[in-house]
Amino acid sequence: MFDLADIATLPRPDRARPRPSLGLIGCGAFGAFILPHLERTFDVLVHDPARDAADLPGTTAGLAGVGKQEIVVLAVPLAQMRAVATAIAPHLRPGTLVVDVCSVKVAPLAVLEEVLPPHVDILGTHPLFGPQSGKNGIAGLRIALCPGRDRARARLAKRFLQRAFGLEVVVTTPEEHDRQMAYVQGLTHIISRIVLAMDVPPLELRTTTFDHLTRMVDTVRHDSEALFRTIARDNPFAAEVRERFAEATGEVLERLRPT
Amino acid sequence: MFDLADIATLPRPDRARPRPSLGLIGCGAFGAFILPHLERTFDVLVHDPARDAADLPGTTAGLAGVGKQEIVVLAVPLAQMRAVATAIAPHLRPGTLVVDVCSVKVAPLAVLEEVLPPHVDILGTHPLFGPQSGKNGIAGLRIALCPGRDRARARLAKRFLQRAFGLEVVVTTPEEHDRQMAYVQGLTHIISRIVLAMDVPPLELRTTTFDHLTRMVDTVRHDSEALFRTIARDNPFAAEVRERFAEATGEVLERLRPT
């Protein structure tokens, strides 16, 4: 069986030996973004249940072909996770490492735990970057990692992510991840959507502070509505953050009433 | 009479000749911040109507002494502008250039136009930076400039600000300034106050997008409540921006209701 340790101990991809294989299911904005990064180390087969193979980048395969690889990465929206995991389950071989990259962790990992056969490993990840924030490279950026069934393999995955991609790996639990992300992503995405909904006119007079706001909005302005709902609605702690945001907004605007 | 052109044409402060004099009224967060920058070019006399001379940095003087200088900078909150301008008016000599640095321009310039004697010049400025955004130097940062009574002198002031401080000068009208700033500063300050009011817990998992939000909040978190009210309440266009923000917030949060 393919062993992550083989990669983890390599300082760089070793082109002399056979490359490990990886199946990437889902080639939307995020899947297409990580594909070239994955291809530096893996022979990648790509499949997208919602798109024609002819429209996909890289080497494509059917669902069964992708499911037979040593590592299978599910880069599909949370709403499709159950359907995709159910469809791929019969094709997975013993010892396969199934990795998800959802922006929440409690819900997708519960689905995978329920739907996938006991003979595969599950690793929850959340790359804390995307096509915008990673457009100049991903070295030095952060990824959250939730160990699944095999703790030793999760430790190897951590070393691999550090060495192969230069990522800063934060090991956490699905609950702690979602609790923090309800603020980290909830606030940035809600605020950015509000600013976008305001349709702010072009402004010549900009402060340094406004430049920070603009950078925040620009980072998420092209994210899909599905991602927005995952982050700001489907996170189990999102409702609490939305309530506190609404309450704080009311307080601050009240303080500004004309006296 | 002192001529700004003398400074504007100097590549750097010329220590061989007498330095022009400047009176700085108001030594709060912003006054104290610009004092060392002003002292590179001017002999500065400092006065703060709300503080004991013993507590002030630099060379202090009474209101009359400060008012006799060739340039008088009013770095006081908008709420005190009328009282301070009224108090200083009798001491101003013909040809004095009175400069304000308020974060709005329509209201303070109307007050100065009304209260100051016709024999002085008025120049509205809004440095689009502060103690936080200018802590590593102000070269390359922006300042808005609203020409007052003497257009030729405003042109000299523009060149002076460019050459002496390396600032990017944007010449505008008080109305256009306030219209844009209602968004630029209104949004950043309102959003930052909301985030601060939420008392967000410490977060280890941070995205690049969240880092932008944090930088925005950190830039304004120490600003005074008086400055916040000037920006988000006293700007004549602020009410419109607050209404649009509240409306957009309602829309975005509504989209996130559980289905």
Side-chain angles (χ1 to χ4, degrees):
Chain A
M1 191 190 85
F2 160 70
D3 190 340
L4 273 173
D6 297 345
I7 301 170
T9 53
L10 285 178
R12 44 186 297 176
D14 178 349
R15 299 184 178 273
R17 51 164 229 153
R19 286 150 52 95
S21 71
L22 185 147
L24 174 64
I25 304 186
C27 203
F30 190 77
F33 162 67
I34 55 167
L35 178 57
H37 294 288
L38 295 172
E39 283 178 331
R40 282 168 42 207
T41 301
F42 300 97
D43 282 333
V44 182
L45 289 181
V46 182
H47 178 84
D48 191 312
R51 289 171 65 191
D52 227 50
D55 298 334
L56 296 176
T59 310
T60 60
L63 194 63
V66 168
K68 284 192 173 52
Q69 306 313 309
E70 295 158 305
I71 298 179
V72 174
V73 175
L74 306 178
V76 298
L78 177 60
Q80 269 116 71
M81 188 61 77
R82 179 175 293 274
V84 169
T86 304
I88 196 84
H91 306 291
L92 299 171
R93 298 184 303 178
T96 299
L97 182 65
V98 178
V99 182
D100 93 299
V101 296
C102 268
S103 295
V104 290
K105 295 270 60 77
V106 171
L109 290 175
V111 167
L112 295 183
E113 200 55 60
E114 179 194 332
V115 171
L116 297 185
H119 61 69
V120 306
D121 285 340
I122 298 169
L123 189 68
T125 75
H126 178 196
L128 303 179
F129 51 85
Q132 285 304 309
S133 50
K135 68 182 169 191
N136 298 319
I138 63 173
L141 298 179
R142 298 182 197 96
I143 186 168
L145 193 149
C146 298
R149 293 170 175 173
D150 184 337
R151 299 285 153 152
R153 221 170 175 196
R155 279 195 296 277
L156 290 174
K158 177 181 175 179
R159 276 170 57 199
F160 167 69
L161 292 167
Q162 290 168 329
R163 294 187 190 192
F165 299 121
L167 295 173
E168 186 186 323
V169 182
V170 184
V171 177
T172 184
T173 63
E175 292 72 22
E176 179 59 21
H177 169 276
D178 285 5
R179 193 186 67 74
Q180 293 196 25
M181 279 298 138
Y183 283 100
V184 169
Q185 294 201 290
L187 278 181
T188 49
H189 284 248
I190 289 171
I191 292 169
S192 296
R193 293 281 170 166
I194 291 169
V195 173
L196 290 170
M198 287 180 71
D199 203 14
V200 175
L203 301 163
E204 188 192 10
L205 299 165
R206 295 180 310 280
T207 58
T208 307
T209 320
F210 191 75
D211 292 339
H212 293 314
L213 178 67
T214 304
R215 273 183 218 111
M216 179 184 78
V217 175
D218 284 347
T219 309
V220 308
R221 72 161 67 229
H222 300 296
D223 285 344
S224 67
E225 186 73 12
L227 178 60
F228 180 49
R229 283 192 299 265
T230 296
I231 285 170
R233 191 192 66 185
D234 302 335
N235 183 315
F237 302 90
E240 179 189 320
V241 171
R242 292 201 310 272
E243 267 167 44
R244 293 187 63 187
F245 180 81
E247 197 179 351
T249 301
E251 276 169 31
V252 167
L253 292 180
E254 178 64 33
R255 263 153 65 194
L256 293 170
R257 282 212 184 180
T259 48
Chain B
M1 192 191 81
F2 159 71
D3 191 339
L4 274 174
D6 297 345
I7 300 170
T9 53
L10 285 178
R12 45 186 295 174
D14 179 350
R15 298 184 179 276
R17 51 164 233 153
R19 284 149 55 93
S21 72
L22 183 149
L24 174 64
I25 304 186
C27 202
F30 190 77
F33 163 68
I34 54 167
L35 178 57
H37 293 288
L38 295 171
E39 282 178 331
R40 282 167 45 208
T41 302
F42 300 97
D43 283 332
V44 182
L45 289 180
V46 182
H47 179 85
D48 192 312
R51 290 171 67 190
D52 226 52
D55 298 334
L56 296 176
T59 309
T60 59
L63 194 65
V66 168
K68 285 194 170 53
Q69 306 312 310
E70 294 158 305
I71 298 179
V72 174
V73 175
L74 306 178
V76 298
L78 177 60
Q80 269 116 68
M81 188 60 78
R82 179 174 294 271
V84 168
T86 305
I88 195 82
H91 306 292
L92 299 171
R93 297 184 305 179
T96 298
L97 181 65
V98 179
V99 182
D100 93 300
V101 296
C102 269
S103 295
V104 289
K105 296 269 59 79
V106 170
L109 290 175
V111 167
L112 295 182
E113 202 51 61
E114 178 194 334
V115 172
L116 297 184
H119 59 68
V120 304
D121 285 342
I122 298 169
L123 190 69
T125 76
H126 179 196
L128 303 181
F129 51 85
Q132 284 305 308
S133 50
K135 68 182 169 191
N136 297 320
I138 62 172
L141 297 178
R142 299 182 195 95
I143 187 168
L145 194 149
C146 299
R149 294 170 175 172
D150 184 337
R151 301 284 153 152
R153 221 171 175 196
R155 279 195 295 277
L156 290 174
K158 177 181 176 180
R159 276 171 56 199
F160 168 69
L161 292 167
Q162 289 168 330
R163 295 187 188 195
F165 299 120
L167 295 173
E168 186 186 322
V169 183
V170 184
V171 177
T172 184
T173 64
E175 291 73 20
E176 180 59 20
H177 169 276
D178 285 6
R179 192 187 67 75
Q180 294 197 23
M181 279 297 138
Y183 283 100
V184 169
Q185 294 202 290
L187 278 182
T188 51
H189 283 249
I190 288 170
I191 293 169
S192 296
R193 293 283 169 165
I194 290 168
V195 174
L196 289 170
M198 286 180 71
D199 203 12
V200 176
L203 301 164
E204 189 193 7
L205 299 166
R206 296 181 310 280
T207 57
T208 308
T209 321
F210 191 75
D211 292 339
H212 293 315
L213 178 66
T214 304
R215 275 184 217 110
M216 179 184 78
V217 175
D218 284 347
T219 310
V220 308
R221 71 162 66 228
H222 300 296
D223 285 345
S224 68
E225 187 72 13
L227 177 60
F228 181 49
R229 283 193 299 266
T230 296
I231 286 170
R233 191 191 64 188
D234 302 336
N235 183 314
F237 301 90
E240 179 190 318
V241 171
R242 291 200 311 273
E243 265 166 46
R244 293 188 63 187
F245 180 81
E247 198 180 348
T249 300
E251 274 169 31
V252 168
L253 292 180
E254 179 64 33
R255 261 154 65 193
L256 294 170
R257 280 212 186 182
T259 47

